[in-house]
């Protein structure tokens, strides 16, 4: 008998869960915008386990990845398929963030009921176990249900251990690796099969080149989950990732490093990408994340552009220095914002910035004032508004937990799009209204045209592109009621997938409501898409578009900085200018003294 027919099989089911909308239905799209890096990393690690035969030569590992943002996950169908083939399985719920935890548990409940072993990892479990002195009740309840919790990262053979334990029927309740974060240089290549990548809008993939962050932002979970000591891949790792995806026709990537500018190998990475482009015609299109000081690094922006970066995410966070200090975001200097954004704009790279509302010093008036300052004085394209949220795993959450301050018990709301605490200066209703109005204030037709004109003033740029993206953000917020970063193409909603404990609606009522909801959305889609298209075409075909300029694009002399509202009207803005002038004077004096010492030595 042929030995291959005697092989046993373990199906490794990798599921990146989504989370529920306000009505309790999973947020799933026909095509999703942002690919899952965790899913790609775990698939690569699983494939490495398969090649190394970690379960022995008589056991074949088959990996099945599911990204629930673009794929309906049917536990009943998965279980039925397993029964037909007689395979054993391990279900891994991967990359589970706090807002995805309820959905992950609901999926786990169904698999466990069918007798399958389930493991769960991600930022929620890792963050809670790293920052709290006790196991939170929702994690304990999941373990009591039979879910094995994995806290930490799965490189350096840790996935091997989980697979072997699952195969031998001795899966542990908890795998806690938070005190021993692995190196990632030379680690297996993150990848996904073509069938999974095809469900990402634009056929994008993602990977990381570094983990960890040296900063101390109190609202951040990364420093407590991935550590404050940075770990890196190398240029050979990058080339392997690019080539592996290139063979599948994937050339567009989201590099998920929290701050590419602080990756000490950034220049080696960009140089390798440039070499691949010039020598072999392998050209990658990249989205990266950077900090607000990246423009001060010599050649960083120029090389990023040449390496294929076309979009950057920037943690702007706020334009009020007092708010930044309160969150320990000391590395952000509002005196550098304009210069940094102007440098990216001149390079023709689209800028997308995260901006947080809900700091203790915020008021409705200050928030709406700041929206107008940003629109007028910063050459920024997409502004991503978030609510300041005490995410489990952050210092903010730890502090409020210790103080016994009320935080919403529904983890599904911890998506940075729902308020989960009370604001000290605004009522709940006023804060919620301010958050909605801030979105509306930034994404007006007039400002969409302004951003389009700023890009239209650059030769070779298509001003219809930023108009399209800004319109898409506006549509997601107004029509779909989700944060635009959770958006996608064509929302999919299934009656029986509703959140555990919520009533399953009758067939007729569900579809009647769905039809009415779809008709309402289509009207919004049509109106806003037509509006955005007209703005883009208007600017694109303006014969004088290259002559356009405005305050955000113009350089401002150092001695005139305090004339800008960015510094004159924000909380702490004037002090920031004074501090910068003092620092500049100190540097100038130091340079003069250095030159004098050199002259004396000669």
């Amino acid at each position: 008998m042929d030995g291959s027919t005697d092989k046993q099989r373990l199906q490794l089911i990798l599921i990146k869960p989504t989370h529920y909308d306000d009505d309790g239905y999973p947020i799933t799209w026909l095509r999703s915008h942002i690919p899952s890096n965790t899913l790609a990393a775990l698939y690569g690690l699983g494939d490495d386990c398969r090649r190394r035969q970690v379960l022995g030569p008589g056991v074949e590992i088959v990996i099945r990845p599911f990204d629930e943002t673009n794929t309906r996950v049917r536990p009943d169908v998965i279980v039925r398929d397993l029964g037909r083939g007689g395979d054993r399985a391990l279900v891994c719920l991967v990359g589970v963030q706090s807002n995805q935890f309820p959905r992950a548990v609901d999926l786990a409940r169904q698999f466990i009921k069918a007798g399958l072993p389930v493991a769960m990892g991600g930022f929620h479990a890792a963050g809670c176990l790293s920052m709290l002195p006790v196991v939170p009740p929702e994690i304990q309840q999941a373990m009591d249900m039979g879910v094995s919790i994995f806290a930490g990262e799965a490189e350096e053979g840790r996935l091997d251990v989980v697979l072997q334990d699952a195969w031998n029927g001795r899966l542990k309740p908890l795998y806690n690796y938070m005190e021993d974060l692995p190196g990632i240089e030379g680690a297996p290549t993150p990848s996904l099969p073509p069938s999974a990548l095809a469900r990402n809008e634009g056929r994008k993939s993602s990977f990381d080149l570094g983990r960890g962050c040296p900063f101390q932002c109190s609202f951040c979970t990364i420093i407590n989950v991935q550590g404050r000591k940075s770990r890196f891949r190398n240029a050979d790792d990058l080339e392997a990732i690019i080539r592996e995806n290139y063979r599948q026709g994937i050339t567009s990537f989201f590099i998920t490093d929290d701050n590419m500018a602080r990756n000490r190998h950034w220049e080696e990475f960009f140089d390798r990408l440039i070499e691949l482009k010039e020598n072999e015609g392998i050209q990658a299109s990249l989205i990266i994340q950077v900090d607000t000081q990246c423009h001060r690094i010599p050649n960083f922006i120029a090389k990023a552009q040449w390496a294929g970066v076309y979009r950057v995410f920037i943690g702007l966070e706020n334009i009020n220095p007092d708010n930044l200090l309160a969150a320990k975001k000391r590395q952000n200097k509002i005196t550098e914002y304009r210069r940094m954004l102007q440098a990216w704009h001149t390079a023709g790279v689209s800028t997308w910035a995260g901006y947080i509302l809900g700091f203790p010093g915020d008021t409705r008036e200050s928030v709406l004032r700041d929206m107008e300052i940003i629109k007028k004085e910063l050459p920024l394209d997409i502004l991503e508004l978030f609510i300041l949220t005490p995410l489990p795993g952050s210092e903010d959450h730890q502090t409020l937990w210790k103080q016994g301050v009320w935080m919403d018990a529904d983890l599904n709301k911890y998506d940075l799009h729902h308020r989960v605490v009370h604001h000290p200066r605004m009522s709940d209703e006023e804060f919620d209204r301010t958050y909605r109005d801030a979105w509306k204030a930034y994404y007006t037709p007039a400002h969409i045209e302004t951003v389009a004109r700023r890009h239209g003033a650059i030769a070779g740029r298509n001003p219809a592109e930023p108009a399209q993206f800004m319109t898409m953000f506006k549509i997601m917020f107004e029509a779909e009621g989700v944060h635009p970063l959770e958006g996608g193409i064509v929302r999919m909603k299934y009656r029986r997938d509703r959140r555990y404990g919520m009533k399953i609606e009758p067939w007729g009522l569900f579809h009647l409501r769905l039809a009415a909801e779809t008709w309402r959305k289509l009207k919004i889609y049509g109106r806003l898409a037509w509006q955005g298209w007209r703005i883009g075409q208007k600017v694109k075909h303006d014969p004088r578009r290259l002559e356009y300029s405005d305050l955000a694009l113009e350089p401002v002399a150092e001695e005139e900085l305090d004339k800008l509202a960015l510094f004159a009207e924000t909380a702490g803005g004037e002090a920031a200018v004074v501090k910068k002038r003092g620092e500049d004077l100190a540097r100038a004096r130091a340079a003069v003294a250095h030159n004098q010492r050199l002259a004396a030595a000669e």
Side-chain angles (χ1 to χ4, degrees), residues 461-482:
R461 288 287 292 168
N462 179 8
E465 183 180 295
Q468 174 189 346
F469 277 115
M470 293 183 76
T471 299
M472 181 270 290
F473 264 58
K474 191 171 184 177
I475 286 173
M476 286 297 110
F477 187 83
E478 293 193 17
E480 298 290 352
V482 302

Side-chain angles (χ1 to χ4, degrees), residues 248-265:
Q248 300 183 34
I250 304 297
T251 58
S252 184
F253 305 95
F254 175 30
I255 301 179
T256 61
D257 292 36
D258 185 58
N259 188 354
M260 185 68 174
R262 300 303 157 190
N263 188 314
R264 66 186 182 201
H265 301 301

Side-chain angles (χ1 to χ4, degrees), residues 127-128 130-132 215-225 228 325-330 388-403 407:
C128 288
S130 69
M131 295 295 285
L132 299 179
F215 298 122
Q216 303 180 58
C217 310
S218 65
F219 53 78
C220 182
T221 61
I222 290 175
I223 54 179
N224 303 312
V225 173
R228 292 188 58 203
L325 286 174
K328 298 185 179 179
K329 190 81 177 181
R330 299 180 180 88
L388 182 64
T389 302
L391 291 172
S394 69
E395 181 185 337
D396 285 349
H397 180 271
Q398 182 191 60
T399 299
L400 295 182
W401 184 88
K402 288 180 177 178
Q403 294 174 351
M407 294 181 280

Side-chain angles (χ1 to χ4, degrees), residues 312 314 316 340-342 345 350-355 374-375 377-384 442 447 450-451 454-455 470 552-553:
V312 292
I314 304 161
L316 206 68
M340 177 268 299
L341 291 168
Q342 286 173 350
H345 181 80
S350 180
T351 52
W352 298 38
Y355 195 86
I374 292 169
K375 288 159 59 176
E377 299 184 359
L378 295 180
L380 180 64
D381 300 335
I382 297 292
L383 191 66
E384 304 164 3
Y442 188 81
H447 189 57
T450 294
V451 174
R454 289 171 183 167
H455 279 271
M470 293 183 76
L553 301 178

Side-chain angles (χ1 to χ4, degrees), residues 201-325:
E201 180 268 328
R203 288 181 59 81
K204 292 184 180 70
S205 189
S206 63
F207 57 86
D208 58 10
L209 293 173
R211 297 177 192 167
C213 178
F215 298 122
Q216 303 180 58
C217 310
S218 65
F219 53 78
C220 182
T221 61
I222 290 175
I223 54 179
N224 303 312
V225 173
Q226 295 186 346
R228 292 188 58 203
K229 180 180 179 181
S230 297
R231 295 159 288 136
F232 309 103
R233 300 188 194 272
N234 59 37
D236 290 338
D237 296 331
L238 169 61
E239 182 174 338
I241 293 170
I242 297 296
R243 289 188 183 278
E244 172 66 25
N245 283 275
Y246 187 74
R247 282 192 287 269
Q248 300 183 34
I250 304 297
T251 58
S252 184
F253 305 95
F254 175 30
I255 301 179
T256 61
D257 292 36
D258 185 58
N259 188 354
M260 185 68 174
R262 300 303 157 190
N263 188 314
R264 66 186 182 201
H265 301 301
W266 71 263
E267 192 161 22
E268 299 169 38
F269 292 144
F270 289 159
D271 285 344
R272 184 65 61 89
L273 291 168
I274 293 168
E275 288 174 15
L276 289 172
K277 178 172 70 171
E278 293 182 341
N279 298 337
E280 301 183 44
I282 299 176
Q283 183 166 348
S285 298
L286 306 174
I287 303 171
I288 64 173
Q289 300 184 96
V290 296
D291 62 23
T292 58
Q293 300 288 312
C294 59
H295 63 296
R296 299 173 66 91
I297 303 173
N299 298 321
F300 181 83
I301 291 179
K303 284 204 170 184
Q305 178 193 22
W306 189 238
V309 173
Y310 69 95
R311 184 185 305 164
V312 292
F313 283 90
I314 304 161
L316 206 68
E317 315 308 12
N318 210 263
I319 62 171
N320 293 272
D322 289 354
N323 284 345
L324 295 170
L325 286 174

